[in-house]
Amino acid sequence: MTDSESARIRIAEIREELSSIPMALPGSVTIRTYACGKAYCACHKDPPKLHGPYYSWTRKVGKKTVTKLLGAEQYEKLKPLLENHRRMRELLTEMAEATIAVLRDEGELPA
Ligand SMILES: [Zn+2]
């Protein structure tokens, strides 16, 4: 099989996987717990009962970074959509590389 044949097969597989992704949520979630500044708070006891967890969802909107807090249940529900977005980006990068391989092999792009 030539490079371009195997790259075309890979592109077909990528297209199929992309079409199976129903929705994709951009950004990432950071989960944090923390001890506050009040010395007598439960978060300073032994064992400590820390504040949180807080789920902050961060994404880029234009050039800005936007952060919103999510509830624990909301986070569990949205987690697969964040994973979908990550996967789509991976697939897109792979498709771009496969496209270059096809075009090079067929002389449409300089080697
Ligand atoms: Zn505290």
Side-chain angles (χ1 to χ4, degrees):
M1 209 188 314
T2 65
D3 282 359
S4 99
E5 279 169 344
S6 56
R8 279 186 188 279
I9 289 168
R10 187 60 197 130
I11 288 170
E13 290 166 354
I14 291 167
R15 293 183 61 197
E16 202 173 309
E17 189 175 343
L18 281 171
S19 74
S20 76
I21 297 173
M23 291 204 283
L25 184 65
S28 60
V29 172
T30 309
I31 305 167
R32 277 197 197 87
T33 54
Y34 73 96
C36 71
K38 296 172 196 157
Y40 295 101
C41 183
C43 66
H44 292 285
K45 295 255 161 57
D46 190 19
K49 192 181 178 307
L50 296 175
H51 298 276
Y54 294 98
Y55 301 84
S56 51
W57 167 51
T58 302
R59 74 189 198 283
K60 284 267 184 197
V61 178
K63 286 180 183 170
K64 281 191 196 160
T65 299
V66 178
T67 299
K68 305 259 184 226
L69 277 183
L70 303 176
E73 273 179 42
Q74 210 172 16
Y75 168 63
E76 288 305 325
K77 211 184 257 181
L78 300 178
K79 207 159 73 169
L81 301 184
L82 290 162
E83 173 56 29
N84 287 351
H85 191 270
R86 201 195 53 72
R87 182 65 185 145
M88 280 182 92
R89 293 182 61 146
E90 235 173 51
L91 290 169
L92 217 53
T93 300
E94 224 191 306
M95 189 192 267
E97 283 160 7
T99 298
I100 290 170
V102 168
L103 295 175
R104 274 192 180 147
D105 198 55
E106 295 176 357
E108 301 292 334
L109 273 179

